[in-house]
Amino acid sequence: MSQRVNGVIARAKGAPVEVATIVVPDPGPGEAVVRIQACGVCHTDLHYREGGINDDFPFLLGHEAAGIVEEVGTGVTDVAPGDFVVLNWRAVCGDCRACRRGRPWYCFATHNAAQKMTLTDGTVLSPALGIGAFVEKTLVHAGQCTKVDPAARPAAVGLLGCGVMAGIGAAINTGGVTRGDSVAVIGCGGVGDGAIAGAALAGATTIIAIDTDERKLEWARRFGATHTIDARAGDVVEAVRALTGGHGADVVVEAVGRPETYRQGFYARDLAGTLVLVGVPTPEMTIELPLLDVFGRGGALKSSWYGDCLPTRDFPLLTELYRQGRLDLDAFVSEEIRLDQVEEAFARMHTGGVLRSVVIF
């Protein structure tokens, strides 16, 4: 029997979100129903509401979540009812050309649930990032469920499902930060602070946080930044060089997704340094760089997809580091809210006053 639960939907571009009754089907082959315990309010959800992803309205928002597996369909063996899981939006297929080459974090055919959740009138919902977790229970592909230590706080480890993992992975998986490196992070929201925390975990000795908001720079210090730069106060590139012996950083993580900050990152890295783009640009944005500088500065220009993570590898590891007190995921949780307060959380997101609002069920 299908179930009826409460969830947050975006009916039309720019319209305020609303709580509606969602029909959740019984899980089919390879699927699971998960009872959500906590879900972070990510900027991507706001992009969906604003029509910045696509126009496949109405959307069932939310994707950065943790919860308990309630029921599984036939053929599911990796998770079972009662398992505590963090949801992921890149459930690898195991058979595409990336997976066959041993690079499953680049999987080009990730799994989602085959069935659709609907409104009570039968209107089909588009779940954000194939998850849709601003809801009491959601239907996902079983591969989107990653088991982690059930002793972990759902509001904290659920954030591994998107923003925090994207930042940590941008530094460690994509950027290859290692002991002794110098790292600069442009943009110190949830993703940028994840990159700072990742750089600290990897043993970077100089970690430079760059933002225009002093509150965010203060948060960055908590996650491991050794230096901060107020981008309004002067030339960011020169400021980074001044903190790195005149050379620039070994790795720069751009967590804003704008041409002007990408250009800063390009020149703020050392010769043969690495620039990682993890901030998400909008479709109309372009970048122009002198080709001679691209050649002459060497190094690598990379984009980081979901922190190039492999959920089955990274989520349990990072949860264990959290449990050991070596990764402060609790510090990312600015506030805990109700399901009917998501629209207010979007408004606070615009002011920059929160790292993450987290819906608690």
Side-chain angles (χ1 to χ4, degrees):
M1 296 290 292
S2 61
Q3 302 183 64
R4 297 190 175 199
V5 297
N6 293 319
V8 170
I9 66 168
R11 287 190 185 271
K13 181 177 179 179
V17 301
E18 61 184 90
V19 177
T21 300
I22 311 301
V23 180
V24 182
D26 287 342
E31 296 175 341
V33 170
V34 178
R35 176 169 52 84
I36 302 300
Q37 294 179 304
C39 184
V41 182
C42 177
H43 206 277
T44 301
D45 294 305
L46 182 57
H47 278 319
Y48 272 104
R49 195 201 72 173
E50 296 300 307
I53 306 295
N54 58 55
D55 60 357
D56 198 14
F57 291 93
F59 292 110
L60 175 58
L61 300 180
H63 59 279
E64 201 175 64
I68 303 294
V69 175
E70 187 172 88
E71 188 178 358
V72 299
T74 59
V76 175
T77 58
D78 290 340
V79 294
D83 285 342
F84 177 57
V85 297
V86 174
L87 299 184
N88 74 80
W89 47 270
R90 291 190 63 81
V92 302
C93 74
D95 195 48
C96 71
R97 60 192 185 279
C99 289
R100 290 197 303 268
R101 294 174 69 187
R103 302 171 184 172
W105 48 88
Y106 292 141
C107 180
F108 302 133
T110 53
H111 291 305
N112 291 315
Q115 299 183 89
K116 298 296 184 181
M117 291 176 280
T118 68
L119 298 176
T120 54
D121 64 1
T123 301
V124 173
L125 294 168
S126 300
L129 291 176
I131 292 176
F134 286 155
V135 66
E136 293 164 328
K137 298 178 184 180
T138 192
L139 177 76
V140 293
H141 189 279
Q144 294 177 281
C145 301
T146 305
K147 289 190 290 187
V148 299
D149 188 338
R153 178 188 174 203
V157 296
L159 302 184
L160 294 174
C162 189
V164 173
M165 182 71 253
I168 293 174
I172 297 177
N173 297 334
T174 313
V177 175
T178 190
R179 58 190 183 277
D181 277 350
S182 57
V183 178
V185 177
I186 303 175
C188 299
V191 175
D193 282 340
I196 289 167
L201 277 175
T205 51
T206 301
I207 304 174
I208 305 165
I210 304 161
D211 206 287
T212 58
D213 188 331
E214 181 54 42
R215 293 172 300 178
K216 292 185 177 181
L217 294 176
E218 185 56 40
W219 293 338
R221 295 182 188 100
R222 178 172 179 177
F223 292 107
T226 60
H227 304 80
T228 60
I229 295 173
D230 184 338
R232 300 167 300 180
D235 189 314
V236 167
V237 173
E238 290 305 315
V240 171
R241 288 177 178 166
L243 293 170
T244 54
H247 305 300
D250 297 309
V251 179
V252 178
V253 177
E254 201 278 67
V256 179
R258 295 192 59 84
E260 55 269 35
T261 46
Y262 187 87
R263 188 180 183 90
Q264 288 175 335
F266 177 83
Y267 287 107
R269 64 196 174 106
D270 196 359
L271 292 173
T274 297
L275 172 59
V276 177
L277 175 64
V278 68
V280 181
T282 54
E284 76 280 1
M285 291 179 178
T286 61
I287 183 73
E288 182 174 326
L289 292 167
L291 192 57
L292 184 60
D293 286 355
V294 175
F295 173 78
R297 296 190 64 80
L301 308 179
K302 296 183 175 184
S303 297
S304 186
W305 298 347
Y306 201 3
D308 290 343
C309 79
L310 186 59
T312 53
R313 175 195 66 195
D314 294 337
F315 288 8
L317 169 63
L318 294 173
T319 299
E320 179 60 22
L321 292 175
Y322 164 66
R323 293 276 295 143
Q324 293 175 6
R326 297 164 62 189
L327 175 61
D328 190 1
L329 295 177
D330 289 317
F332 288 92
V333 182
S334 300
E335 61 176 1
E336 296 183 356
I337 63 173
R338 301 187 310 268
L339 189 62
D340 61 0
Q341 294 177 308
V342 169
E343 184 67 30
E344 298 168 30
F346 283 151
R348 284 190 290 276
M349 187 183 292
H350 280 302
T351 70
V354 294
L355 271 179
R356 272 297 186 271
S357 304
V358 179
V359 176
I360 301 297
F361 293 85

